[in-house]
Coordinates of all heavy atoms in Angstrom, one line a residue:
M1239 N -24.7 48.9 -127.2 CA -24.0 48.7 -128.5 C -23.6 47.3 -128.6 O -22.6 47.0 -128.0 CB -22.8 49.8 -128.6 CG -23.2 51.2 -128.5 SD -21.8 52.2 -128.3 CE -21.1 51.8 -126.8
K1240 N -24.4 46.5 -129.3 CA -24.0 45.2 -129.5 C -22.7 44.9 -130.1 O -22.2 45.4 -131.1 CB -25.1 44.6 -130.4 CG -25.1 43.0 -130.4 CD -26.3 42.5 -131.1 CE -26.3 41.0 -130.9 NZ -27.5 40.4 -131.4
G1241 N -21.9 44.2 -129.3 CA -20.6 43.7 -129.7 C -19.4 44.7 -129.2 O -18.3 44.4 -129.2
L1242 N -19.8 46.0 -128.8 CA -18.7 46.9 -128.2 C -19.0 47.1 -126.8 O -20.0 47.5 -126.3 CB -19.0 48.1 -129.1 CG -17.9 49.3 -128.7 CD1 -16.6 48.9 -129.1 CD2 -18.4 50.6 -129.5
V1243 N -17.9 46.9 -126.1 CA -17.9 47.0 -124.6 C -16.8 48.1 -124.2 O -15.7 47.9 -124.4 CB -17.7 45.7 -123.8 CG1 -17.7 45.9 -122.3 CG2 -18.7 44.7 -124.2
I1244 N -17.2 49.2 -123.5 CA -16.3 50.1 -123.0 C -16.4 50.1 -121.4 O -17.4 50.2 -120.9 CB -16.8 51.5 -123.4 CG1 -16.9 51.6 -125.0 CG2 -15.8 52.6 -122.9 CD1 -17.5 52.7 -125.6
N1245 N -15.2 49.9 -120.9 CA -15.1 49.9 -119.5 C -14.4 51.2 -119.0 O -13.2 51.2 -119.1 CB -14.4 48.6 -118.9 CG -14.3 48.5 -117.5 OD1 -14.2 49.5 -116.8 ND2 -14.6 47.3 -116.9
K1246 N -15.1 52.1 -118.4 CA -14.6 53.4 -118.0 C -13.5 53.3 -117.0 O -12.5 53.9 -117.0 CB -15.7 54.4 -117.6 CG -15.2 55.7 -117.3 CD -16.4 56.6 -116.9 CE -16.0 57.9 -116.5 NZ -17.1 58.8 -116.1
K1247 N -13.9 52.5 -115.9 CA -12.9 52.4 -114.8 C -11.5 51.8 -115.2 O -10.6 52.0 -114.7 CB -13.6 51.4 -113.7 CG -14.7 52.2 -113.0 CD -15.3 51.3 -111.9 CE -16.4 52.0 -111.1 NZ -17.0 51.2 -110.1
E1248 N -11.6 50.6 -116.0 CA -10.3 50.1 -116.5 C -9.7 50.7 -117.7 O -8.6 50.3 -118.1 CB -10.7 48.5 -116.7 CG -11.0 47.8 -115.3 CD -11.3 46.3 -115.5 OE1 -11.0 45.8 -116.5 OE2 -11.8 45.7 -114.6
H1249 N -10.5 51.6 -118.2 CA -10.0 52.3 -119.5 C -9.7 51.2 -120.6 O -8.7 51.3 -121.3 CB -8.8 53.2 -119.2 CG -8.8 54.3 -120.1 ND1 -8.2 54.4 -121.3 CD2 -9.2 55.6 -119.9 CE1 -8.3 55.6 -121.9 NE2 -9.0 56.3 -121.0
T1250 N -10.7 50.4 -120.8 CA -10.6 49.3 -121.7 C -11.7 49.3 -122.8 O -12.9 49.7 -122.5 CB -10.3 48.0 -121.1 OG1 -11.6 47.6 -120.3 CG2 -9.1 47.7 -120.4
C1251 N -11.6 48.8 -124.0 CA -12.5 48.6 -124.9 C -12.4 47.2 -125.7 O -11.3 46.9 -126.0 CB -12.5 49.8 -126.0 SG -13.6 49.7 -127.3
F1252 N -13.5 46.6 -125.7 CA -13.5 45.3 -126.4 C -14.7 45.3 -127.6 O -15.6 45.9 -127.4 CB -13.9 44.1 -125.4 CG -12.9 44.0 -124.3 CD1 -12.8 44.7 -123.2 CD2 -11.8 43.0 -124.6 CE1 -11.9 44.5 -122.3 CE2 -10.9 42.9 -123.6 CZ -10.8 43.6 -122.4
L1253 N -14.1 44.7 -128.6 CA -15.1 44.5 -129.8 C -15.3 43.0 -130.0 O -14.3 42.3 -130.4 CB -14.5 45.1 -131.0 CG -15.3 45.1 -132.3 CD1 -16.7 45.8 -132.2 CD2 -14.5 45.6 -133.5
Y1254 N -16.4 42.6 -129.7 CA -16.8 41.1 -129.8 C -15.9 40.3 -129.0 O -15.3 39.3 -129.6 CB -16.9 40.7 -131.3 CG -17.8 41.4 -132.1 CD1 -17.6 42.3 -133.1 CD2 -19.3 41.3 -131.9 CE1 -18.5 43.1 -133.7 CE2 -20.3 42.0 -132.4 CZ -19.8 42.9 -133.5 OH -20.8 43.7 -134.2
G1255 N -15.5 40.7 -127.9 CA -14.5 40.0 -127.0 C -13.1 40.3 -127.2 O -12.3 39.8 -126.4
K1256 N -12.7 40.9 -128.1 CA -11.3 41.2 -128.6 C -10.9 42.6 -128.1 O -11.7 43.5 -128.4 CB -11.1 41.0 -130.2 CG -9.6 41.2 -130.4 CD -9.5 41.1 -131.9 CE -8.0 41.4 -132.3 NZ -7.8 41.6 -133.8
S1257 N -9.9 42.8 -127.4 CA -9.4 44.0 -126.9 C -8.9 45.0 -128.1 O -8.3 44.5 -129.0 CB -8.2 43.8 -126.0 OG -7.7 45.1 -125.5
I1258 N -9.4 46.1 -128.0 CA -9.1 47.2 -128.9 C -8.2 48.3 -128.3 O -8.4 48.8 -127.3 CB -10.4 48.0 -129.5 CG1 -11.4 47.0 -130.1 CG2 -10.0 49.0 -130.5 CD1 -10.9 46.2 -131.3
D1259 N -7.0 48.4 -128.9 CA -6.0 49.3 -128.3 C -6.4 50.8 -128.9 O -6.2 51.1 -130.1 CB -4.6 49.1 -128.8 CG -4.1 47.8 -128.2 OD1 -4.4 47.6 -127.0 OD2 -3.4 46.9 -128.9
L1260 N -6.9 51.7 -128.0 CA -7.0 53.0 -128.4 C -6.2 54.0 -127.5 O -5.7 53.7 -126.3 CB -8.6 53.3 -127.9 CG -9.7 52.6 -128.5 CD1 -11.0 52.8 -128.0 CD2 -9.7 52.8 -130.0
T1261 N -5.9 55.0 -128.2 CA -5.2 56.1 -127.4 C -6.0 56.7 -126.5 O -7.3 56.5 -126.6 CB -4.7 57.2 -128.4 OG1 -5.7 57.8 -128.9 CG2 -3.7 56.7 -129.5
K1262 N -5.6 57.5 -125.5 CA -6.5 58.1 -124.5 C -7.4 59.0 -125.2 O -8.6 59.0 -124.8 CB -5.6 59.0 -123.5 CG -6.4 59.6 -122.5 CD -5.5 60.5 -121.6 CE -6.4 61.3 -120.6 NZ -7.8 61.7 -120.9
I1263 N -7.1 59.7 -126.2 CA -7.9 60.6 -126.9 C -9.1 59.8 -127.6 O -10.3 60.1 -127.5 CB -7.3 61.6 -127.8 CG1 -6.4 62.6 -127.0 CG2 -8.3 62.2 -128.8 CD1 -7.1 63.6 -126.3
E1264 N -8.7 58.8 -128.3 CA -9.7 57.9 -129.0 C -10.6 57.3 -128.0 O -11.8 57.3 -128.2 CB -8.9 56.8 -129.7 CG -8.1 57.3 -130.9 CD -7.2 56.3 -131.4 OE1 -6.8 55.3 -130.9 OE2 -6.6 56.6 -132.6
F1265 N -10.1 56.8 -126.9 CA -10.9 56.3 -125.9 C -11.9 57.4 -125.3 O -13.2 57.0 -125.2 CB -10.2 55.7 -124.7 CG -11.0 55.1 -123.6 CD1 -11.3 53.7 -123.7 CD2 -11.3 55.7 -122.5 CE1 -12.1 53.0 -122.7 CE2 -12.3 55.2 -121.6 CZ -12.5 53.8 -121.7
D1266 N -11.5 58.5 -125.0 CA -12.3 59.5 -124.5 C -13.4 60.0 -125.5 O -14.5 60.3 -125.1 CB -11.4 60.8 -124.2 CG -10.7 60.5 -122.8 OD1 -10.8 59.6 -122.1 OD2 -9.7 61.3 -122.6
I1267 N -13.1 60.0 -126.8 CA -14.1 60.3 -127.7 C -15.1 59.3 -127.8 O -16.3 59.6 -127.8 CB -13.5 60.5 -129.2 CG1 -12.6 61.7 -129.3 CG2 -14.5 60.5 -130.4 CD1 -11.7 61.8 -130.6
L1268 N -14.8 58.0 -127.9 CA -15.7 56.9 -128.0 C -16.6 56.8 -126.8 O -17.8 56.6 -126.8 CB -15.0 55.5 -128.0 CG -15.8 54.4 -128.5 CD1 -16.6 54.5 -129.7 CD2 -14.9 53.2 -128.6
L1269 N -15.9 57.1 -125.5 CA -16.7 57.2 -124.2 C -17.7 58.2 -124.3 O -18.9 58.2 -124.0 CB -15.7 57.2 -123.0 CG -16.3 57.2 -121.7 CD1 -17.0 55.9 -121.5 CD2 -15.4 57.5 -120.7
Y1270 N -17.4 59.4 -124.7 CA -18.2 60.6 -124.8 C -19.4 60.3 -125.6 O -20.5 60.6 -125.3 CB -17.4 61.8 -125.1 CG -18.3 63.0 -125.0 CD1 -18.4 63.7 -123.8 CD2 -19.1 63.7 -126.0 CE1 -19.0 64.9 -123.6 CE2 -19.7 64.8 -125.8 CZ -19.8 65.5 -124.5 OH -20.6 66.5 -124.3
L1271 N -19.1 59.9 -126.9 CA -20.2 59.4 -127.7 C -21.1 58.3 -127.1 O -22.4 58.4 -127.2 CB -19.6 59.0 -129.1 CG -19.0 59.9 -129.9 CD1 -18.3 59.4 -131.2 CD2 -20.1 61.0 -130.4
A1272 N -20.6 57.3 -126.5 CA -21.4 56.4 -125.8 C -22.2 56.8 -124.8 O -23.3 56.3 -124.6 CB -20.5 55.1 -125.5
T1273 N -21.6 57.8 -123.9 CA -22.4 58.4 -122.8 C -23.4 59.1 -123.4 O -24.5 59.3 -122.6 CB -21.3 59.3 -122.0 OG1 -20.2 58.4 -121.5 CG2 -22.0 59.8 -120.8
N1274 N -23.4 59.7 -124.5 CA -24.5 60.6 -125.1 C -25.2 59.8 -126.3 O -25.6 60.3 -127.3 CB -23.8 61.9 -125.6 CG -23.4 62.7 -124.6 OD1 -24.3 63.4 -123.9 ND2 -22.1 62.7 -124.3
K1275 N -25.3 58.4 -126.1 CA -25.8 57.6 -127.0 C -27.1 58.0 -127.5 O -28.0 58.5 -126.7 CB -26.1 56.1 -126.4 CG -26.3 55.1 -127.5 CD -26.5 53.7 -127.0 CE -25.8 53.2 -125.7 NZ -25.9 52.0 -125.3
G1276 N -27.5 58.1 -128.8 CA -28.8 58.6 -129.3 C -28.7 60.1 -129.6 O -29.5 60.5 -130.3
K1277 N -27.8 60.8 -129.1 CA -27.7 62.2 -129.3 C -26.6 62.5 -130.3 O -25.6 62.0 -130.3 CB -27.4 62.9 -128.0 CG -27.1 64.5 -128.1 CD -26.7 64.9 -126.7 CE -26.3 66.4 -126.9 NZ -25.2 66.9 -126.0
V1278 N -26.9 63.5 -131.2 CA -25.9 63.9 -132.1 C -25.0 65.0 -131.4 O -25.4 65.9 -130.7 CB -26.6 64.6 -133.4 CG1 -25.5 65.1 -134.3 CG2 -27.5 63.6 -134.1
V1279 N -23.7 64.6 -131.5 CA -22.7 65.5 -130.8 C -21.8 66.1 -131.9 O -21.3 65.5 -132.8 CB -21.7 64.6 -129.9 CG1 -20.6 65.4 -129.3 CG2 -22.6 63.8 -128.9
S1280 N -21.9 67.4 -131.9 CA -21.0 68.2 -132.8 C -19.6 68.1 -132.6 O -19.0 67.7 -131.5 CB -21.4 69.7 -132.7 OG -20.9 70.3 -131.5
S1281 N -18.8 68.3 -133.6 CA -17.2 68.3 -133.5 C -16.8 69.2 -132.6 O -15.9 68.9 -131.8 CB -16.6 68.5 -134.9 OG -16.9 67.5 -135.8
E1282 N -17.5 70.4 -132.5 CA -17.1 71.5 -131.5 C -17.3 70.9 -130.0 O -16.4 70.9 -129.2 CB -18.0 72.6 -131.6 CG -17.6 73.8 -130.7 CD -18.4 75.0 -130.9 OE1 -19.0 75.1 -131.9 OE2 -18.4 75.9 -130.1
E1283 N -18.5 70.2 -129.8 CA -18.8 69.8 -128.5 C -17.7 68.6 -128.0 O -17.3 68.6 -127.0 CB -20.1 69.1 -128.4 CG -20.5 68.6 -127.0 CD -22.0 68.1 -127.1 OE1 -22.8 68.4 -127.9 OE2 -22.3 67.3 -126.1
L1284 N -17.4 67.8 -129.0 CA -16.5 66.7 -128.8 C -15.2 67.2 -128.4 O -14.6 66.8 -127.5 CB -16.4 65.7 -129.9 CG -17.2 64.5 -130.1 CD1 -17.0 63.8 -131.4 CD2 -16.9 63.5 -128.9
F1285 N -14.7 68.1 -129.4 CA -13.4 68.8 -129.0 C -13.3 69.4 -127.7 O -12.4 69.2 -126.9 CB -13.0 69.8 -130.2 CG -11.7 70.1 -130.1 CD1 -10.6 69.6 -130.7 CD2 -11.4 71.4 -129.5 CE1 -9.3 69.9 -130.7 CE2 -10.0 71.8 -129.4 CZ -9.0 71.1 -130.0
E1286 N -14.3 70.2 -127.4 CA -14.2 71.0 -126.1 C -14.4 70.1 -124.9 O -13.7 70.4 -123.7 CB -15.2 72.1 -126.1 CG -14.9 73.1 -127.2 CD -15.9 74.3 -127.1 OE1 -16.8 74.4 -126.5 OE2 -15.6 75.4 -128.0
N1287 N -15.0 68.9 -124.9 CA -15.2 68.0 -123.9 C -14.1 67.1 -123.7 O -13.7 66.6 -122.7 CB -16.5 67.3 -123.9 CG -17.7 68.2 -123.5 OD1 -17.9 68.4 -122.3 ND2 -18.3 68.8 -124.4
V1288 N -13.4 66.7 -124.9 CA -12.4 65.8 -124.8 C -11.1 66.4 -124.6 O -10.3 66.1 -123.8 CB -12.4 64.9 -126.1 CG1 -11.1 64.1 -126.1 CG2 -13.5 64.0 -126.0
W1289 N -10.7 67.5 -125.4 CA -9.4 68.1 -125.3 C -9.4 69.3 -124.2 O -8.4 69.7 -123.9 CB -9.0 68.7 -126.6 CG -8.4 67.7 -127.6 CD1 -7.1 67.6 -127.9 CD2 -9.2 66.9 -128.6 NE1 -7.0 66.6 -128.7 CE2 -8.2 66.0 -129.2 CE3 -10.4 66.6 -128.8 CZ2 -8.5 65.2 -130.2 CZ3 -10.8 65.7 -129.8 CH2 -9.8 65.1 -130.4
K1290 N -10.6 69.8 -123.8 CA -10.7 70.8 -122.8 C -10.2 72.0 -123.2 O -9.5 72.8 -122.6 CB -10.1 70.3 -121.4 CG -10.5 69.0 -121.0 CD -11.9 69.1 -120.5 CE -12.4 67.7 -119.8 NZ -13.6 67.3 -120.0
E1291 N -10.4 72.4 -124.7 CA -9.9 73.5 -125.2 C -10.8 74.1 -126.2 O -11.9 73.5 -126.6 CB -8.6 73.3 -126.1 CG -7.4 72.7 -125.4 CD -6.2 72.5 -126.2 OE1 -6.2 73.0 -127.5 OE2 -5.3 71.7 -125.9
K1292 N -10.8 75.4 -126.5 CA -11.7 76.1 -127.4 C -11.6 75.5 -128.9 O -10.4 75.3 -129.3 CB -11.5 77.6 -127.5 CG -12.5 78.4 -128.2 CD -13.8 78.4 -127.5 CE -14.8 79.2 -128.2 NZ -16.0 78.6 -128.2
Y1293 N -12.7 75.3 -129.5 CA -12.7 74.7 -130.9 C -12.6 75.8 -131.8 O -13.0 76.9 -131.7 CB -14.1 74.0 -131.0 CG -14.3 73.4 -132.4 CD1 -13.7 72.1 -132.7 CD2 -14.9 73.9 -133.4 CE1 -13.9 71.4 -134.0 CE2 -15.1 73.4 -134.6 CZ -14.6 72.2 -135.0 OH -14.8 71.6 -136.1
F1294 N -11.8 75.5 -133.0 CA -11.8 76.5 -134.1 C -12.3 75.8 -135.3 O -12.3 74.7 -135.6 CB -10.2 76.8 -134.3 CG -9.6 77.5 -133.2 CD1 -8.8 76.8 -132.3 CD2 -9.8 78.8 -132.9 CE1 -8.1 77.3 -131.2 CE2 -9.2 79.5 -131.8 CZ -8.3 78.8 -131.0
D1295 N -13.1 76.7 -136.0 CA -13.8 76.3 -137.2 C -13.1 75.3 -138.1 O -13.7 74.2 -138.5 CB -14.2 77.5 -138.0 CG -15.6 78.1 -137.4 OD1 -16.2 77.3 -136.7 OD2 -15.9 79.2 -137.8
S1296 N -11.9 75.5 -138.7 CA -11.2 74.7 -139.5 C -10.5 73.6 -139.0 O -9.6 73.1 -139.6 CB -10.4 75.5 -140.5 OG -9.4 76.1 -139.6
N1297 N -10.8 73.2 -137.9 CA -10.1 72.1 -137.2 C -10.6 70.8 -137.6 O -11.8 70.3 -137.3 CB -10.4 72.3 -135.6 CG -9.4 71.5 -134.8 OD1 -9.1 70.3 -135.2 ND2 -9.2 72.0 -133.5
N1298 N -9.7 70.0 -138.1 CA -10.0 68.6 -138.5 C -9.8 67.5 -137.6 O -9.8 66.3 -137.9 CB -9.4 68.3 -140.1 CG -10.0 69.1 -141.1 OD1 -11.3 69.3 -141.2 ND2 -9.2 69.4 -142.1
T1299 N -9.3 67.9 -136.4 CA -8.7 66.9 -135.5 C -9.7 66.0 -135.2 O -9.3 64.7 -135.1 CB -8.2 67.7 -134.2 OG1 -7.4 68.7 -134.6 CG2 -7.8 66.8 -133.2
V1300 N -10.9 66.3 -134.9 CA -12.0 65.3 -134.5 C -12.2 64.4 -135.6 O -12.3 63.2 -135.4 CB -13.3 66.0 -134.1 CG1 -14.4 65.0 -133.9 CG2 -13.1 66.9 -132.7
M1301 N -12.4 64.9 -136.8 CA -12.7 64.0 -137.9 C -11.5 62.9 -138.2 O -11.8 61.7 -138.4 CB -12.7 64.8 -139.3 CG -13.1 64.0 -140.5 SD -13.3 65.0 -142.0 CE -11.5 65.7 -142.1
V1302 N -10.3 63.2 -138.0 CA -9.2 62.4 -138.1 C -9.2 61.4 -137.0 O -9.0 60.1 -137.3 CB -7.8 63.1 -138.0 CG1 -6.7 62.2 -137.9 CG2 -7.7 64.0 -139.3
H1303 N -9.5 61.8 -135.9 CA -9.6 60.8 -134.7 C -10.8 59.8 -134.9 O -10.7 58.6 -134.6 CB -9.6 61.5 -133.3 CG -8.3 61.9 -132.8 ND1 -7.8 63.0 -133.3 CD2 -7.4 61.4 -132.0 CE1 -6.6 63.3 -132.7 NE2 -6.3 62.3 -131.9
I1304 N -12.0 60.3 -135.3 CA -13.1 59.4 -135.7 C -12.8 58.3 -136.7 O -13.0 57.3 -136.6 CB -14.3 60.2 -136.0 CG1 -14.9 61.2 -135.0 CG2 -15.4 59.4 -136.7 CD1 -15.6 60.4 -133.9
R1305 N -12.1 58.8 -137.8 CA -11.6 57.9 -138.7 C -10.7 56.8 -138.1 O -10.9 55.7 -138.4 CB -10.9 58.7 -139.9 CG -10.5 57.7 -141.1 CD -9.8 58.4 -142.2 NE -8.4 58.7 -141.9 CZ -7.9 59.8 -141.9 NH1 -8.5 61.0 -142.3 NH2 -6.6 60.1 -141.5
K1306 N -9.7 57.1 -137.3 CA -8.8 56.2 -136.7 C -9.6 55.2 -135.8 O -9.4 54.0 -135.7 CB -7.8 56.9 -135.8 CG -6.7 57.6 -136.8 CD -5.6 58.2 -135.9 CE -4.6 59.0 -136.9 NZ -3.6 59.5 -136.2
I1307 N -10.6 55.8 -135.1 CA -11.4 54.8 -134.1 C -12.2 53.9 -135.1 O -12.3 52.7 -134.7 CB -12.4 55.7 -133.3 CG1 -11.6 56.6 -132.4 CG2 -13.4 54.9 -132.6 CD1 -12.5 57.6 -131.6
R1308 N -12.8 54.4 -136.2 CA -13.5 53.4 -137.1 C -12.6 52.4 -137.6 O -13.0 51.3 -137.8 CB -14.2 54.3 -138.2 CG -15.4 55.0 -137.8 CD -15.9 55.9 -138.8 NE -17.1 56.5 -138.6 CZ -17.6 57.6 -139.1 NH1 -17.0 58.2 -140.1 NH2 -18.8 58.1 -138.8
E1309 N -11.4 52.8 -138.0 CA -10.5 51.8 -138.5 C -10.2 50.6 -137.4 O -10.2 49.5 -137.8 CB -9.1 52.5 -138.9 CG -9.1 53.2 -140.2 CD -8.0 54.0 -140.4 OE1 -6.9 53.8 -139.7 OE2 -7.9 54.8 -141.4
K1310 N -10.0 51.1 -136.2 CA -9.6 50.1 -135.1 C -10.9 49.3 -134.8 O -10.8 48.1 -134.4 CB -9.2 50.9 -133.9 CG -7.8 51.5 -134.1 CD -7.2 52.2 -132.9 CE -5.9 52.7 -133.1 NZ -5.3 53.4 -131.9
L1311 N -12.1 49.7 -135.1 CA -13.4 49.0 -134.8 C -13.6 48.3 -136.1 O -14.7 47.6 -136.2 CB -14.5 50.0 -134.4 CG -14.3 50.7 -133.1 CD1 -15.6 51.7 -132.9 CD2 -14.3 49.7 -131.9
Q1312 N -12.9 48.3 -137.1 CA -13.0 47.6 -138.3 C -14.3 48.1 -139.1 O -15.1 47.1 -139.6 CB -12.8 46.1 -138.2 CG -11.5 45.8 -137.6 CD -11.5 44.3 -137.1 OE1 -12.5 43.7 -137.3 NE2 -10.4 44.0 -136.8
E1313 N -14.7 49.3 -138.9 CA -16.0 49.8 -139.6 C -15.8 50.0 -141.1 O -14.8 50.6 -141.4 CB -16.5 51.1 -138.8 CG -16.8 50.7 -137.4 CD -17.9 51.6 -136.9 OE1 -17.6 52.9 -136.7 OE2 -19.0 51.4 -136.7
D1314 N -16.9 49.8 -141.7 CA -17.0 50.2 -143.1 C -17.2 51.7 -143.2 O -18.2 52.2 -142.6 CB -18.2 49.4 -143.8 CG -18.5 49.9 -145.3 OD1 -17.6 50.6 -145.8 OD2 -19.3 49.2 -145.9
S1315 N -16.3 52.4 -143.8 CA -16.4 53.9 -143.7 C -17.7 54.3 -144.4 O -18.2 55.5 -144.1 CB -15.2 54.5 -144.3 OG -15.1 54.1 -145.8
K1316 N -18.2 53.6 -145.4 CA -19.4 54.0 -146.0 C -20.6 53.6 -145.3 O -21.7 54.2 -145.5 CB -19.4 53.5 -147.5 CG -18.4 54.1 -148.4 CD -18.7 53.5 -149.8 CE -17.4 54.0 -150.7 NZ -16.5 54.8 -150.3
N1317 N -20.6 52.7 -144.4 CA -21.8 52.2 -143.7 C -21.2 51.8 -142.2 O -21.3 50.5 -142.0 CB -22.4 51.0 -144.4 CG -23.7 50.6 -143.7 OD1 -24.4 51.4 -143.0 ND2 -24.1 49.5 -143.9
P1318 N -20.9 52.7 -141.4 CA -20.2 52.4 -140.1 C -21.3 51.8 -139.2 O -22.6 52.3 -139.3 CB -19.8 53.8 -139.6 CG -20.6 54.8 -140.4 CD -20.8 54.1 -141.7
K1319 N -21.0 50.8 -138.3 CA -22.0 50.2 -137.5 C -22.2 50.9 -136.2 O -23.3 51.0 -135.6 CB -21.6 48.8 -137.2 CG -22.5 48.0 -136.3 CD -22.0 46.6 -136.2 CE -23.0 45.8 -135.2 NZ -22.6 44.5 -135.2
F1320 N -21.2 51.5 -135.8 CA -21.1 52.1 -134.5 C -21.2 53.6 -134.4 O -22.2 54.2 -133.9 CB -19.9 51.8 -133.5 CG -19.9 50.2 -133.2 CD1 -18.9 49.4 -134.0 CD2 -20.8 49.6 -132.3 CE1 -18.9 48.1 -133.7 CE2 -20.7 48.3 -132.3 CZ -19.9 47.5 -132.9
I1321 N -20.1 54.3 -135.0 CA -20.1 55.8 -135.0 C -20.8 56.2 -136.4 O -20.2 56.2 -137.4 CB -18.8 56.3 -134.9 CG1 -18.2 55.7 -133.5 CG2 -18.8 57.9 -134.9 CD1 -16.7 56.1 -133.4
K1322 N -22.0 56.9 -136.2 CA -22.7 57.4 -137.4 C -22.4 58.9 -137.6 O -22.2 59.6 -136.6 CB -24.1 57.2 -137.2 CG -24.6 55.9 -136.9 CD -24.6 55.0 -138.1 CE -25.2 53.6 -137.7 NZ -25.1 52.6 -138.8
T1323 N -22.1 59.3 -138.8 CA -21.9 60.7 -139.2 C -23.3 61.4 -139.6 O -24.0 60.7 -140.3 CB -21.1 60.8 -140.4 OG1 -19.7 60.3 -140.0 CG2 -20.9 62.3 -140.8
V1324 N -23.6 62.3 -139.0 CA -24.8 63.1 -139.3 C -24.4 64.4 -140.0 O -23.8 65.3 -139.3 CB -25.7 63.5 -138.1 CG1 -26.9 64.3 -138.4 CG2 -26.1 62.3 -137.2
W1325 N -24.4 64.4 -141.3 CA -23.7 65.3 -142.1 C -24.1 66.8 -141.7 O -25.3 67.0 -141.7 CB -24.0 65.0 -143.5 CG -23.3 63.7 -144.0 CD1 -23.8 62.7 -144.3 CD2 -21.9 63.6 -144.1 NE1 -22.8 61.6 -144.6 CE2 -21.7 62.2 -144.4 CE3 -20.7 64.4 -144.0 CZ2 -20.4 61.6 -144.6 CZ3 -19.5 63.8 -144.1 CH2 -19.3 62.5 -144.4
G1326 N -23.1 67.6 -141.6 CA -23.3 69.0 -141.3 C -23.6 69.2 -139.8 O -23.8 70.4 -139.4
V1327 N -23.7 68.2 -139.0 CA -24.1 68.3 -137.6 C -23.1 67.7 -136.7 O -22.6 68.5 -135.8 CB -25.6 67.6 -137.3 CG1 -26.0 67.8 -135.9 CG2 -26.6 68.2 -138.3
G1328 N -22.8 66.4 -136.8 CA -21.8 65.8 -136.1 C -21.7 64.3 -136.1 O -22.1 63.8 -137.1
Y1329 N -21.6 63.6 -135.0 CA -21.5 62.2 -134.8 C -22.5 61.7 -133.7 O -22.8 62.4 -132.9 CB -20.0 61.8 -134.5 CG -19.0 62.2 -135.6 CD1 -18.3 63.5 -135.2 CD2 -18.8 61.7 -136.7 CE1 -17.5 64.0 -136.2 CE2 -17.9 62.2 -137.6 CZ -17.2 63.4 -137.3 OH -16.4 63.7 -138.2
K1330 N -22.8 60.3 -133.9 CA -23.6 59.8 -132.8 C -23.4 58.3 -132.8 O -23.0 57.6 -133.8 CB -25.1 60.1 -132.9 CG -25.8 59.4 -134.1 CD -27.3 59.8 -134.1 CE -28.1 59.1 -135.2 NZ -29.5 59.2 -135.0
I1331 N -23.7 57.7 -131.7 CA -23.8 56.3 -131.6 C -25.3 56.1 -131.3 O -25.8 56.7 -130.3 CB -23.0 55.7 -130.3 CG1 -21.5 55.9 -130.8 CG2 -23.4 54.2 -130.1 CD1 -20.6 55.4 -129.7
E1332 N -25.9 55.3 -132.1 CA -27.5 55.1 -131.9 C -27.7 54.1 -130.8 O -26.9 53.4 -130.4 CB -28.0 54.5 -133.3 CG -27.9 55.4 -134.4 CD -28.3 54.8 -135.7 OE1 -28.5 53.6 -135.8 OE2 -28.6 55.7 -136.7
K1333 N -29.0 54.4 -130.3 CA -29.4 53.7 -129.2 C -29.8 52.3 -129.6 O -30.1 52.0 -130.7 CB -30.7 54.3 -128.6 CG -30.4 55.5 -127.7 CD -31.6 55.9 -127.1 CE -31.2 57.2 -126.1 NZ -32.1 57.5 -125.2

């Protein structure tokens, strides 16, 4: 991901060399998406792998966290560079 560096061991994230402050959950979501780069990950899969709990249909938790991550990455919500929405399916970071 050009411009975005995630260091799992140090639990840090940099955007074009500038440190990005992410909560533990935000970091874990971004890391999970990056680890599955190129694959569409459903909200259910994200929730169950990050929160380690069962997902419920009307749960907007993932969407809210994705929005906050995009804000911190200074992404245009209509044309995000890093986290893409695949409508009706989930989210992905392209290869």
Side-chain angles (χ1 to χ4, degrees):
M1239 297 170 295
K1240 193 170 184 172
L1242 183 64
V1243 176
I1244 303 168
N1245 186 318
K1246 183 179 178 180
K1247 288 182 181 179
E1248 295 180 11
H1249 212 271
T1250 56
C1251 179
F1252 292 88
L1253 181 64
Y1254 301 111
K1256 182 181 176 194
S1257 179
I1258 303 297
D1259 291 325
L1260 299 172
T1261 66
K1262 179 185 181 327
I1263 293 291
E1264 291 166 349
F1265 182 87
D1266 290 347
I1267 290 170
L1268 192 56
L1269 181 64
Y1270 191 83
L1271 288 170
T1273 301
N1274 290 281
K1275 194 182 330 182
K1277 175 187 172 204
V1278 179
V1279 178
S1280 69
S1281 292
E1282 179 178 347
E1283 181 181 344
L1284 263 175
F1285 188 86
E1286 290 181 357
N1287 282 280
V1288 171
W1289 279 268
K1290 309 290 188 220
E1291 296 177 17
K1292 187 74 179 139
Y1293 180 83
F1294 297 101
D1295 278 342
S1296 62
N1297 193 330
N1298 289 328
T1299 304
V1300 172
M1301 183 180 65
V1302 170
H1303 280 81
I1304 293 285
R1305 187 179 72 233
K1306 288 181 180 182
I1307 295 167
R1308 284 178 172 156
E1309 286 173 6
K1310 291 180 179 185
L1311 296 178
Q1312 302 171 357
E1313 291 206 291
D1314 176 1
S1315 61
K1316 293 187 183 0
N1317 188 25
K1319 182 175 180 180
F1320 298 105
I1321 302 172
K1322 307 285 185 181
T1323 300
V1324 180
W1325 294 107
V1327 184
Y1329 304 95
K1330 75 174 182 174
I1331 291 179
E1332 293 178 343
K1333 285 190 173 192

